[in-house]
Amino acid sequence: GLESGRWRPHLMPERLLTPLQAAKFLGVSPRTLANWRSRGGGPKYTKLGNPPPQGRQDRRPVRYRLHDLETYGTTLSRTEAR
């Protein structure tokens, strides 16, 4: 944050976006993002909290790092330009 009036972006926590926010950022539907996750594709994501016990469905909230979306968006736009 701010220290002695100086801006220090490297000290700020990394911005995490919900799947809805990430979908809007990339210009795709939330369903497309969910499909990419289930197929092992799309941008990197993280799940918040502790993993469930063995054999239980993983219902942890999914979040995307803004940096990962920017990187993936660049890759996506290069692919579309071909």
Side-chain angles (χ1 to χ4, degrees), residues 44-59:
K44 290 185 202 173
Y45 64 93
T46 189
K47 290 192 169 192
L48 304 179
N50 296 321
Q54 189 72 25
R56 301 288 305 267
Q57 188 172 2
D58 192 345
R59 296 187 179 272

Side-chain angles (χ1 to χ4, degrees), residues 11-31:
L11 297 178
M12 295 185 65
E14 193 162 18
R15 175 103 191 267
L16 296 176
L17 282 75
T18 65
L20 181 60
Q21 293 168 325
K24 285 182 180 180
F25 181 86
L26 293 174
V28 299
S29 73
R31 173 55 47 206

Side-chain angles (χ1 to χ4, degrees), residues 49-76:
N50 296 321
Q54 189 72 25
R56 301 288 305 267
Q57 188 172 2
D58 192 345
R59 296 187 179 272
R60 293 178 292 165
V62 170
R63 294 294 181 268
Y64 292 88
R65 289 181 175 87
L66 185 56
H67 173 76
D68 292 334
L69 295 176
E70 290 169 340
T71 302
Y72 188 78
T74 301
T75 304
L76 193 62

